[in-house]
Amino acid sequence: VERHCSNALALAKWLKARKDVTFVTYPGLEDHESHEKAKKYFKNGQFGAVLSFGVTGGLDNSKKLIGSLKLASHLANVGDAKTLVINPGATTHQQLTPKDLEAAGVKPEMVQIG
């Protein structure tokens, strides 16, 4: 678990520095809206192994990115030992209306990795 968390933090920081990424959501980042709460509740600086980010170019580019990955699987499982990546709006949340997706914070360009 420690390695999963440290890898997620390293990936979040790397993504945050990229110009082709529109946002990164990970509680281990100091600018995350819940970072202070996360420090209180997550032990030993381990902020979890799941993060979300946005890809410039919207849904089409997020799908291209996911399709091009070699070391991650395009699956919506939770608790797996391998790296999984999805576009929530096109998979786990596809039944929601655009208004409901927006209310849930699911953007078309969003990629979730864990």
Side-chain angles (χ1 to χ4, degrees), residues 6-105:
S6 64
N7 285 346
L9 179 59
L11 179 59
K13 289 178 178 179
W14 181 79
L15 288 166
K16 190 122 178 103
R18 296 187 55 89
K19 292 183 186 328
D20 54 354
V21 172
T22 58
F23 67 88
V24 179
T25 303
Y26 182 69
L29 294 174
E30 292 183 9
D31 64 349
H32 186 275
E33 63 186 24
S34 298
H35 181 70
E36 290 304 313
K37 287 181 184 176
K39 286 193 325 188
K40 178 179 176 182
Y41 294 109
F42 287 100
K43 302 296 180 201
N44 303 319
Q46 297 176 6
F47 297 99
V50 178
L51 63 97
S52 297
F53 63 98
V55 178
T56 302
L59 178 61
D60 288 339
N61 281 355
S62 72
K63 286 182 175 181
K64 285 178 190 173
L65 170 71
I66 291 168
S68 72
L69 298 174
K70 304 281 188 239
L71 298 177
S73 300
H74 183 206
L75 297 170
N77 297 347
V78 176
D80 207 317
K82 57 188 170 191
T83 300
L84 308 175
V85 61
I86 62 168
N87 175 294
T91 55
T92 57
H93 292 65
Q94 67 182 346
Q95 75 281 6
L96 298 179
T97 66
K99 184 178 177 181
D100 290 338
L101 286 169
E102 184 178 338

